[in-house]
Structure formats: C-alpha cells, structure tokens
Amino acid sequence: MISLKNKKVLVTGASSGIGKSIAIQLSQLGAKLIITGRNELRLSETLILCEEGGHTALIADMTVESDINQLVKNIEEIDGAVFCAGIISYIPIKFLSNDKINDIFDVNFKCQVILTQKLLKQKKINKQGSLVYISSLSSKLGVAGTSVYAASKSALSAFVRVLATEVAGQKIRANTVSPGIIRTPLFTNSETSIADEDFDNKENAYPLGYGNAEDVAAYVAFLLSDNSTWITGSDLVMDGGFTLS
C-alpha cells in the first residue's frame, strides 16, 4: 500500500489536467500539499477537491522569475515536488518563430530548471526527498507539428537524468514520467489542432485506449512514496501500448 502520510509535497500546474488529478490523489494518500498555478479560481477548485490536511494554495506564474522566488520563499522544507506546469502547442516547423520557441521552452523546460535550482540552493528539499517531472511520449517520437514541444520535453528528460546524479549524495531522487495522450482539456480545447473526431480516431492506435490523468497520478504517488527509494534517473513511458507497434 502506498502512503504519503507526513510528507510535504509541492505540486506545480495544479490548477487543471494532470496536475489537478495528482494533487487530489496525493491528498487522498495523506500528503500535505502546497499547490500552485496561475489561475486563482481553478487553483481554488483543486484545493476544495483535495482531502482535508492543511494544504496551501499559492498563485504563481512559473514563467516569471520573481513569482518563482516568492514561491520558494513562502514554502517550508518539503519531502517531494511534482513539476506539472506545461503547455502543448502544435506548430509546423515552417511556421516557427523565435517567440513561439521561447514561449514553449520557457514553460516546459526553463521554469522547471529554475525552480529546481532555487529549491536546491535554498535547501528546501529534505534528504531522501523525491522530485518528479512530467515529460511526454512526444519526446521519443516524430509526430508532425510537435518539433519544439517534443524538444522541450526531451530537454527536460535529459536535465532530470543529470539532476539525479547530482542529488544522489543527499539520497534525493529525480525521475520523469512520459505519458502518451491523456484525456485532459489540453488535448481537447481550441488551442490545439486536434479536432474532436480526429482525436477519437487516433485512439485506435492505443491498444489500451487513451490514458486518464488518474493513471499518471498513481505512478507519481509511487515515485513520491517510500516504496520507490531505489529508483532514480528513470523515465517511465505510459502509453497504453502505443509504442508496441
């Protein structure tokens, strides 16, 4: 049985999607949470859905360094952190621009690195803590239109592998989870180029169908728990069998 009782955990990107589901499930397993996101209303909704446990919600834009500084200043020492903040953008290479590249890398890579650096430098991560980062199956594929998104997630995975070696002396673990398509608003809203019909048709390529945010949350909980104290530098692909064919 997985228990996170007495563990303090930071969850970024907790206002929606995977981050929201992770926060809720961690609270059900006994963790005391610090959740953060840009949208105050949606973050409050996540907090309401969490099991009671003295949780804290802090508004922060991860692309603004002063917000990251304030976030780190406001949290006490933690036993784990889950880095869920991220954006998905489908842009053919011929339509890329410097601004679009920066926008995607700022959220999916740079802010994760900066937050990690500040947490470590200010000694906010307890020994034997666990850091979990949400990467993507896209980082291992060659899907048209995902070049910069895939590159940002590949960079994140590479960063975490190096991070794992640097913090191992403190018995701090660092791992990534790389989901395939998960049914979240990010994949079904108007900001993506996947129409509803096409979205449903693509599910045929997944032997087990698309995943749910709860599937990812369950493995994240395992990585945060004492059941995974010998796992670091790993990258779990969760794709419902997509890469079997």
Side-chain angles (χ1 to χ4, degrees), residues 137-232:
L137 181 65
S138 295
S139 66
K140 308 173 191 309
L141 303 177
V143 179
T146 66
S147 59
V148 178
Y149 172 73
S152 68
K153 291 297 189 177
S154 294
L156 180 63
S157 295
F159 166 77
V160 175
R161 284 195 296 272
V162 176
L163 172 66
T165 66
E166 293 193 8
V167 298
Q170 303 170 62
K171 302 300 182 184
I172 296 174
R173 297 172 288 113
N175 297 281
T176 54
V177 179
S178 294
I181 293 181
I182 301 294
R183 288 188 176 276
T184 70
L186 272 179
F187 274 104
T188 56
N189 65 21
S190 59
E191 295 178 2
T192 74
S193 62
I194 302 180
D196 290 342
E197 183 177 355
D198 192 29
F199 182 80
D200 291 335
N201 289 336
K202 288 180 181 294
E203 188 168 12
N204 295 327
Y206 285 71
L208 299 181
Y210 290 147
N212 296 308
E214 292 78 12
D215 298 321
V216 180
Y219 190 69
V220 169
F222 167 70
L223 289 175
L224 291 170
S225 75
D226 293 337
N227 298 55
S228 60
T229 54
W230 207 46
I231 300 176
T232 194

Side-chain angles (χ1 to χ4, degrees), residues 37-66:
R38 291 184 292 186
N39 188 302
E40 184 175 3
L41 176 60
R42 290 191 299 178
L43 194 64
S44 296
E45 292 173 351
T46 300
L47 188 62
I48 291 171
L49 292 172
C50 287
E51 294 286 330
E52 293 185 6
H55 312 302
T56 303
L58 299 174
I59 305 302
D61 184 339
M62 291 293 97
T63 64
V64 179
E65 190 166 1
S66 59

